[in-house]
Every structure is written in C-alpha cells, then in structure tokens.
Amino acid sequence: SNNPYQITDSYGLQGIGTSADMLTKSYTLANDISASGTANWNSGAGFKPIGTSSGGTPNAADTVAFTGSLDGQNHVIDGLTINRGSESYVGLFGYAGSGSSFSNLGLTHLNVTGGSYHTGGLAAYSYATLSNVYASGTVTGSHANSSWYVGGLLGTNNGGSIDNSHFTGSVVASGGYTYSYFGGLAGYSTGAISNSYADVTLSADGTSNLSVHDFGGLAGYQEGNISNSHTSITMTNFTTSQTDVGGIYLGGLAGYMKNGAISNSYVEGNIQLFHTHTNDNASYIGGLVGGSQNISSISDSHFSGNLLGTETIGGLVGSASSSSISNSYSTGAITDRSGYVGGLVGAQSSGSGSIGNSYSTATISSGYY
C-alpha cells in the first residue's frame, strides 16, 4: 500500500484481474483513462469484470475477490462499456471482498449491462468502503426473467460505508417481468450512507404482468443510517403497452429501510413507477422511504415533489414502524386510488413512533382512474 501500482490505460486496468495475486494489490490512477475502446472488446461484451463469483451467493469456494485498493487520485475512467446481459456479478469490479476500498475516483459515461444478479457501475457485489467516488451514465439490469440488486455504483453493498459519493444518470430495469432492489447508489445496502447524493432516473420495462419492489433514489433496500444526503429523482412509467403492473416499496431515498436513522436529508422529484391502467397496483410509496422497520428517527429532512400510487402513500414515509419524525416536512402533490394516504405518513403501526414539529403542505387527491 505504500508503493501502489500505477494504472495508465484501460489495458492496465483490465490487468488487475489477470491473477489472484494481482487482486490483492494497491493501485492508483496515474492519469485520466479513456476506456471508450472497451465497447469493442470480447466480441462486444466489453470489459471483463475484475474479481468474479460464479454462485448466487459469494463464498470462498466460488469467489476470486478483489481485496486491494484503488485510489483514483481524482482522475476519471471515461467511457467504460460492459455488455453482459447473460451474466451475473457485472461491473468494473465483479466482486470486491473484505478489506477492499475505493477512493477519489470518477467513472464517467458508463454503459454497464448485467443479467440476473448483482450489477453495479463500480462493483457488482462489494464489502468495500467508498470515499469520494462518483459515476455518471447508465447501469442496466437486463434478463428475460428477472434482475436483482442493481445500482449506479454498487449492485450490493455488504456493510461498507459510502461517503461523499454520488451517481448521475439512469438505472434501468429491462427485458423481464420481476425487478428487485434497484437504487441510485446501491441496489441493496447494509452500510451507512453519508454526504452523498444521486441525480437519477429509475425506470422499468419488459413483458406484461411486471412486478417491481424496493426501488430507491439512494438504495433500493437500506439497512443503516442515511445522513446529509439527497436525491433528485424521477421514477418513470412503464411503456404504454404494459398492463397489470405491480409495485411495492418505492422511495426517494430508500424503497425499504430497516434499523437506521435519517438526518439532514432531502428528496426532490417524482415517483410514479407504473401506468394508470385499471389493474395496476403500486403501494408503500414515500417521498423519503416507501416501507420501514425500526427506523429510529427521521429528523431535519424533507420531500418536495409528486407521488402517485394505489395506497399507503406518505409525503415522507409510506408505511412507518417505530419511527419518530421531527423538524421535517413535505410539499407537492400526492395522488392515490384507494386509501391510507397522508401528507407525512401513509400508515403508522399502532402505538409506535411519534411526530413532532413537522408539517405538510402537500395537496392530496384520489381517484385518478
């Protein structure tokens, strides 16, 4: 770590994954790297992810992980292309193991497509800590059946902290009928997020009878604190040809959040991830969080924008459990079809949580069909 390898081009970057020994080393970028040529590598499949896992759940038997570090020294990797819709664990790094870290790094004009499980612009499955890392472009989970764990930076964040990092661009679900855990920074995250943001469009399309759950501006599923962070978010409609669309747990910061707190964070945008067909259903939608379990507190936070769904919709939280809300507010418009809708909370478990020094000026209406 005191004498890291210096990477100067995309070939050197690919070389990190050429042996198990290389996966343990420390690296820096010596300069900005143009990776636009990777679009033509491997018969169009593009860059090969660094660090691999062949199983649905990584373990020592099937994993060759990256356990080193990459310090970009404030340089960027531009134009990285990965087109591996039939594969899982797709990203610049396929699997970043315990002890790995990424810092001071930019990934611009990304175009990354993965298959069933774990797709991320930086890493598909990660234990790494992230500090001052950002990405822009498009990350897509595409499979004929289903795609899970897709994020602008990380597909799955297994306990690593994300600090002072951001994603700008689109996270796309395409080609199938079930999509789970999609987020601007991470699809599924069990680590703290701080001083970070996403300016993201989340969209979904595919076959009929589509089902989506756990879609969020920062994380589709979040376990751990969110602080000093924000999103500018658009959750777009399915194409007009789709019917019988179902959605659950859609949120501006997190689709579903468990065991954490939200502080000094906000969301601006529109959440409407379905069309207005008679049989469509989208429930548990919140300006900050769609569904929650044991969020200890939401403080000094707000939502401004528009929410559209079927039921259990709140300007801050769709469904709240054991949560105290303070010094927070929502503005904009909330539209639902049936019931359980509130300017701050759609539904709160009996006898749990509290609301203080908070307000909503949201316009609430129903019956949009």
Side-chain angles (χ1 to χ4, degrees):
S1 60
N2 294 324
N3 188 25
Y5 289 90
Q6 294 192 17
I7 304 298
T8 61
D9 57 28
S10 54
Y11 299 101
L13 192 65
Q14 185 71 92
I16 297 173
T18 55
S19 72
D21 181 61
M22 295 296 288
L23 290 168
T24 68
K25 306 301 183 182
S26 296
Y27 300 89
T28 62
L29 297 188
N31 46 255
D32 291 345
I33 292 175
S34 173
S36 57
T38 58
N40 300 315
W41 288 12
N42 299 308
S43 302
F47 191 89
K48 181 179 179 180
I50 301 167
T52 62
S53 178
S54 60
T57 301
N59 57 60
D62 63 18
T63 298
V64 182
F66 174 75
T67 56
S69 65
L70 175 59
D71 183 346
Q73 299 192 117
N74 297 316
H75 293 298
V76 301
I77 300 167
D78 183 71
L80 181 74
T81 297
I82 306 175
N83 185 19
R84 298 175 180 265
S86 62
E87 301 178 21
S88 294
Y89 296 90
V90 173
L92 173 60
F93 290 82
Y95 181 50
S98 179
S100 59
S101 65
F102 303 99
S103 59
N104 309 313
L105 173 66
L107 303 170
T108 54
H109 300 102
L110 276 174
N111 190 353
V112 174
T113 298
S116 294
Y117 295 100
H118 308 294
T119 301
L122 174 65
Y125 193 103
S126 173
Y127 288 83
T129 58
L130 271 61
S131 176
N132 193 30
V133 174
Y134 67 92
S136 64
T138 301
V139 178
T140 302
S142 178
H143 192 268
N145 295 320
S146 61
S147 290
W148 296 58
Y149 314 113
V150 179
L153 290 178
L154 305 174
T156 294
N157 172 35
N158 194 336
S161 61
I162 300 174
D163 180 61
N164 195 33
S165 299
H166 66 267
F167 175 78
T168 302
S170 299
V171 177
V172 180
S174 178
Y177 53 84
T178 301
Y179 306 116
S180 305
Y181 307 114
F182 279 64
L185 297 184
Y188 189 100
S189 172
T190 59
I193 298 174
S194 59
N195 308 306
S196 298
Y197 72 89
D199 184 354
V200 61
T201 296
L202 287 162
S203 62
D205 194 8
T207 59
S208 60
N209 299 316
L210 289 169
S211 174
V212 305
H213 72 78
D214 294 76
F215 273 47
L218 293 181
Y221 174 96
Q222 171 64 17
E223 191 166 342
N225 295 338
I226 297 174
S227 60
N228 305 313
S229 298
H230 66 274
T231 65
S232 175
I233 185 171
T234 300
M235 288 198 187
T236 62
N237 293 344
F238 296 122
T239 58
T240 55
S241 62
Q242 306 308 321
T243 59
D244 297 326
V245 174
I248 188 170
Y249 301 133
L250 314 176
L253 294 178
Y256 192 92
M257 184 169 176
K258 179 180 178 181
N259 297 339
I262 296 172
S263 61
N264 195 33
S265 299
Y266 67 90
V267 175
E268 297 176 345
N270 300 290
I271 299 176
Q272 179 187 331
L273 196 58
F274 64 101
H275 260 296
T276 53
H277 298 114
T278 302
N279 295 326
D280 290 347
N281 287 282
S283 303
Y284 301 103
I285 300 171
L288 300 182
V289 178
S292 70
Q293 181 180 349
N294 298 327
I295 297 181
S296 59
S297 65
I298 297 173
S299 60
D300 303 295
S301 299
H302 69 269
F303 169 76
S304 177
N306 302 304
L307 304 174
L308 172 63
T310 306
E311 63 176 326
T312 317
I313 308 170
L316 297 181
V317 184
S319 175
S321 173
S322 303
S323 303
S324 66
I325 298 173
S326 62
N327 304 317
S328 299
Y329 67 90
S330 74
T331 66
I334 304 172
T335 306
D336 85 311
R337 186 174 69 190
S338 53
Y340 299 114
V341 57
L344 293 177
V345 178
Q348 182 158 293
S349 300
S350 177
S352 70
S354 62
I355 299 174
N357 199 34
S358 300
Y359 68 91
S360 173
T361 60
T363 300
I364 297 175
S365 57
S366 62
Y368 56 86
Y369 290 132

